[in-house]
Amino acid sequence: MARIVITGAAGLVGQNLIAGIADRGDLQIVAIDKHPSNTAVLARLHPGIEVIAADLAQPGVWTGAFKGADAVIQLHAQIGGLDAEEFEANNVRATRLVLDAMKAESVPYLVHVSSSVVNSKAVDFYTESKKAQEKLVVESGIAHATLRPTLMYGWFDRKHLGWLARFMKKAPVFPIPGSGRYMRQPLYGGDFSGIVLACLDGRREGAWNISGQEKIDYVDLIKAVRKASGAKTPIVHIPYSLFWMLLRVYAVFDRDPPFTTKQLEALVTPDSFEVIDWPSIFGVRATPLDEALAITFNDPKYSGVVLDF
């Protein structure tokens, strides 16, 4: 039985991935994440796996989990926030310590989940720290696959489309900055989980840009989310500058806002990411957007499970 350590396991990708492989008899899963309530959710949903609550940016006994491991799936990441130190700690320092633990225990293989932002024109804490993270992985000398997904959604989505859907159901109107004609390439977490597993099972090595196969403008994506989630909230366009200022004011009262001015700036940055034929490369079906959104918001087992920020 292969022992697989998954870091950042209680986040969106980890929760979706483990939901698909928890019952595989050929894998012994060790899940590590620092978020106490989200690791509790993971442990409750999958009592048969080992779950460790630990901060990977700090040396600790968690390194013992790597003893005898056959592979690591590295998912931990700081995605949002206002403090540069959080990105340095969670994307850079934690990765350095994980790689050190792998070397110490001679773990031979890594699936590293990076981000499409390493190819973006945006300059922010997330983008720069993810670039530094990839550099650490390459320089480690460990055999690895690097996957760079675009904006992801699926079960357990607390930051992206899931948060937007919950906001729609509570707010009297849903604001769209400017025209809303900002092209997105959303990637379904269930599809991405299949790609991660294909790398793991095949011990593939290389780097791949994993974009959603369908391109859609942000405003049309919001309308699709509204339809799939059953929300009736009117969509209202407001000037970009006003939207930016409202986020700035909101951040004064919430030190960990779900959407920041930097993320707004990234939203309107005119990026178009490479679309490769990953369905053929990895043998994973690309779930159509409407079908994937219906699963995300209407699955009886997982769609109602909400993670904390």
Side-chain angles (χ1 to χ4, degrees):
M1 181 182 294
R3 180 178 174 87
I4 309 299
V5 178
I6 305 176
T7 68
L12 185 154
V13 178
Q15 295 271 8
N16 277 271
L17 176 64
I18 292 172
I21 65 174
D23 295 330
R24 273 183 56 165
D26 61 331
L27 298 179
Q28 177 190 2
I29 301 169
V30 182
I32 307 176
D33 199 291
K34 73 173 184 176
H35 201 297
S37 61
N38 292 342
T39 52
V41 169
L42 183 63
R44 174 175 58 81
L45 291 174
H46 309 289
I49 69 173
E50 181 181 355
V51 178
I52 300 171
D55 184 353
L56 298 173
Q58 302 294 329
V61 297
W62 59 265
T63 57
F66 290 74
K67 186 176 181 61
D70 296 282
V72 171
I73 300 174
Q74 187 164 252
L75 307 176
H76 65 267
Q78 180 76 24
I79 298 175
L82 303 171
D83 187 349
E85 167 57 21
E86 292 180 342
F87 291 89
E88 175 69 19
N90 297 322
N91 293 347
V92 181
R93 217 155 48 235
T95 298
R96 186 178 292 115
L97 290 176
V98 167
L99 295 172
D100 288 346
M102 290 185 67
K103 291 178 183 178
E105 298 296 343
S106 301
V107 182
Y109 183 72
L110 170 70
V111 179
H112 171 58
V113 175
S114 181
S115 170
S116 61
V117 299
V118 301
N119 298 317
S120 172
K121 299 173 184 176
V123 178
D124 52 43
F125 298 145
Y126 180 55
T127 300
E128 298 309 302
S129 62
K130 291 299 283 187
K131 289 178 180 178
Q133 186 185 47
E134 269 204 28
K135 187 171 183 288
L136 287 173
V137 170
V138 171
E139 293 176 348
S140 72
I142 297 170
H144 65 275
T146 292
L147 302 173
R148 304 185 187 113
T150 51
L151 169 71
M152 216 176 314
Y153 66 97
W155 298 324
F156 315 104
D157 183 358
R158 68 190 191 278
K159 285 278 189 181
H160 301 138
L161 301 191
W163 182 85
L164 294 175
R166 291 190 294 277
F167 180 82
M168 280 182 185
K169 292 184 177 181
K170 296 178 181 178
V173 297
F174 189 92
I176 294 284
S179 69
R181 294 297 170 190
Y182 316 120
M183 192 272 290
R184 300 291 91 186
Q185 294 165 266
L187 178 65
Y188 176 46
D191 294 346
F192 186 68
S193 295
I195 294 171
V196 171
L197 285 177
C199 289
L200 178 69
D201 291 337
R203 292 300 193 267
R204 296 176 184 238
E205 295 184 41
W208 293 271
N209 299 320
I210 310 296
S211 305
Q213 297 286 296
E214 299 177 56
K215 296 182 178 182
I216 185 172
D217 282 340
Y218 177 73
V219 63
D220 295 325
L221 178 60
I222 293 302
K223 291 176 181 177
V225 169
R226 182 176 63 176
K227 178 182 178 182
S229 65
K232 305 297 182 183
T233 311
I235 293 173
V236 177
H237 293 262
I238 65 175
Y240 173 88
S241 57
L242 175 59
F243 199 104
W244 191 96
M245 185 57 66
L246 290 172
L247 290 177
R248 185 70 178 269
V249 172
Y250 186 85
V252 173
F253 301 97
D254 186 345
R255 298 306 301 169
D256 187 22
F259 197 66
T260 68
T261 55
K262 288 294 185 182
Q263 287 171 300
L264 174 62
E265 291 163 11
L267 172 67
V268 302
T269 299
D271 286 320
S272 180
F273 298 108
E274 176 187 24
V275 178
I276 65 172
D277 186 13
W278 53 256
S280 296
I281 294 171
F282 297 102
V284 175
R285 172 180 178 260
T287 308
L289 179 66
D290 288 344
E291 179 184 338
L293 288 174
I295 295 170
T296 296
F297 296 114
N298 299 295
D299 177 82
K301 184 174 182 180
Y302 293 122
S303 62
V305 181
V306 178
L307 303 179
D308 287 340
F309 289 101

